[in-house]
Amino acid sequence: MTLNSTCFCGAEFCNLQSDCLGVSSGGTDEDLRYLLTGVSVILAAIGALLVLLFLDPLQTVKEPVKFSLKILLATLNNCRKTEQLAIIAISFYVGMIQGFYTADFTKSFIGCAWGSSNVGIVTVFYGLACALSAPLSGFLVKYVGRIPILLLSQIINVGVNVFLLLWTPDPNQQYLFFLSAAMCGVVTGILWAQLPAFYGVLFKKDEEAAFGCYYCMQFYGLVNTFCNK
């Protein structure tokens, strides 16, 4: 791996230093690339076949999708409700978390210190953590409630952020890349699963407007992260 000795990785990384991305000398093996691509295609085909063979078709009447000013106004009015204002910040932050991992963590931590070719393998642990924490949080909600699970996610989130601020990435400590990515995935998975469910509980009568506000704030947080890079 080639690194510029003047580069600072981690929280002190400067995105103006375009030459501060480590590049592994070996690159990705061609056979491995074909293997991963083949597995992805096969799994996608199996998924499509399972849906086609075992899922009963829905007998529904399709209605034309039209822009509704009424729904737009209802969404804007819903964003002014007290309950919505109380959780709108965390909805915004869900988007920021995704943007941070996608844009900053992969570049400032993994790419800079360990090499851009390792972004994929580290992100696998991020995805696995998301996939496992989301259903697990749903299972635990039955026993401890939704609020403790959301609080736990924020405790983990604060801990991860403090660690990333203090940590100087070192390619000789590879397990820390996987661990930090997995912790980011745990936070994201819990919020992805539990925050929409929380919206469904709070806004049973105005679900369309409430979820419209939720996704609006979430994607605004995502866009804001990229715009402020």
Side-chain angles (χ1 to χ4, degrees):
M1 182 176 66
T2 58
L3 286 175
N4 190 328
S5 60
T6 62
C7 296
F8 295 94
C9 299
E12 297 183 1
F13 179 83
C14 178
N15 60 7
L16 297 178
Q17 297 171 285
S18 59
D19 58 337
C20 289
L21 290 179
V23 181
S24 300
S25 57
T28 304
D29 183 71
E30 196 72 17
D31 293 335
L32 178 61
R33 184 179 302 168
Y34 284 122
L35 175 62
L36 294 175
T37 304
V39 170
S40 299
V41 173
I42 291 172
L43 290 176
I46 291 175
L49 286 174
L50 289 175
V51 171
L52 182 64
L53 296 175
F54 298 104
L55 186 65
D56 295 331
L58 297 176
Q59 302 296 331
T60 57
V61 178
K62 293 184 178 180
E63 298 180 359
V65 179
K66 296 181 180 179
F67 174 77
S68 175
L69 182 61
K70 182 179 179 180
I71 294 179
L72 176 61
L73 293 176
T75 300
L76 295 176
N77 288 329
N78 186 275
C79 291
R80 297 164 56 187
K81 290 184 177 180
T82 304
E83 297 89 343
Q84 187 70 263
L85 292 174
I87 57 177
I88 205 169
I90 194 171
S91 305
F92 182 85
Y93 189 65
V94 171
M96 291 187 66
I97 293 175
Q98 300 172 58
F100 167 75
Y101 184 86
T102 304
D104 291 310
F105 184 81
T106 55
K107 181 179 181 180
S108 306
F109 289 84
I110 308 172
C112 177
W114 194 13
S116 56
S117 61
N118 294 300
V119 169
I121 188 63
V122 175
T123 302
V124 167
F125 282 75
Y126 173 82
L128 284 175
C130 284
L132 294 175
S133 62
L136 181 60
S137 66
F139 174 77
L140 293 176
V141 162
K142 298 179 182 179
Y143 300 97
V144 299
R146 184 168 287 109
I147 299 299
I149 297 298
L150 289 173
L151 288 176
L152 175 62
S153 71
Q154 292 312 298
I155 292 173
I156 297 173
N157 184 38
V158 171
V160 171
N161 283 314
V162 171
F163 170 73
L164 293 178
L165 281 173
L166 301 176
W167 178 42
T168 301
D170 184 350
N172 296 319
Q173 297 176 319
Q174 298 175 3
Y175 70 96
L176 290 178
F177 291 94
F178 296 108
L179 180 61
S180 54
M183 290 298 99
C184 289
V186 168
V187 175
T188 305
I190 292 175
L191 292 178
W192 273 355
Q194 296 308 316
L195 199 55
F198 198 35
Y199 267 80
V201 172
L202 289 177
F203 306 102
K204 292 182 179 180
K205 297 181 179 180
D206 300 307
E207 286 189 351
E208 286 187 350
F211 280 102
C213 185
Y214 165 67
Y215 286 111
C216 179
M217 290 299 104
Q218 178 183 342
F219 288 112
Y220 183 69
L222 181 64
V223 170
N224 181 70
T225 304
F226 283 96
C227 289
N228 287 283
K229 280 184 58 59

